[in-house]
Amino acid sequence: MYSPQWGLFVVRVGLAGVLLWFGSQLLLHTPNWSGYVPDYAVHLSGISATTITLWNGSIEIAFGLLLLAGFLTQISALVMGIHIAIIALSLGINELGVRDWGLAAALFGIALAGPGAFSLDE
C-alpha cells in the first residue's frame, strides 16, 4: 500500500487544514489576531491591522481551498510558503516562528514535488 502519492496527499491536505483553520480564526476572531500584525506592515501599507488581518484570513482560506482540491497546487504552495516564511521572519526564533518555518518548508516541498495523483491538477 506504500505510495509516495499518498504521502503528498496527506501533507497537502494537512497543510490545507492548517490554512483553513487559521484563516477562519482570523475572520471569526479578528481582534485576537490583529496584535500579531507587525507595525511595519501597517506603516508601509497604510492599512489598519484589522484590515490586514481580515485580508490575511481571506487569502489563507482561498489558498487553503486550492490546496485541498489540488488545483493550482504548486503555485498555491509556493505563495503560501513565502507568506508563512515572512510571518516566521517577523515572529523571530521562538516556538511560533520555528513552527511556521516547518510549515513553510512543507509548503515549499509541495511546490517542488508537485500536486500528486490525488488532485485536480493531475
Side-chain angles (χ1 to χ4, degrees):
M1 294 259 4
Y2 170 78
S3 168
Q5 296 301 320
W6 279 107
L8 279 173
F9 174 75
V10 169
V11 173
R12 181 171 51 83
V13 170
L15 288 168
V18 169
L19 291 170
L20 291 168
W21 187 86
F22 273 103
S24 68
Q25 294 305 299
L26 291 168
L27 296 179
L28 293 171
H29 308 288
T30 305
N32 297 344
W33 294 94
S34 295
Y36 287 101
V37 175
D39 290 336
Y40 72 83
V42 174
H43 294 312
L44 287 175
S45 68
I47 301 171
S48 72
T50 298
T51 302
I52 291 172
T53 302
L54 290 169
W55 273 100
N56 189 51
S58 300
I59 289 167
E60 288 185 7
I61 288 173
F63 280 102
L65 289 171
L66 289 172
L67 277 177
L68 183 63
F71 185 67
L72 301 174
T73 306
Q74 289 176 283
I75 293 168
S76 298
L78 179 62
V79 168
M80 285 292 94
I82 292 168
H83 171 70
I84 292 180
I86 291 168
I87 292 170
L89 275 173
S90 73
L91 291 171
I93 302 298
N94 57 38
E95 63 279 1
L96 300 176
V98 171
R99 178 212 50 209
D100 284 352
W101 279 118
L103 293 171
L107 285 160
F108 290 139
I110 290 176
L112 292 169
F118 308 107
S119 67
L120 293 177
D121 287 337
E122 288 294 316

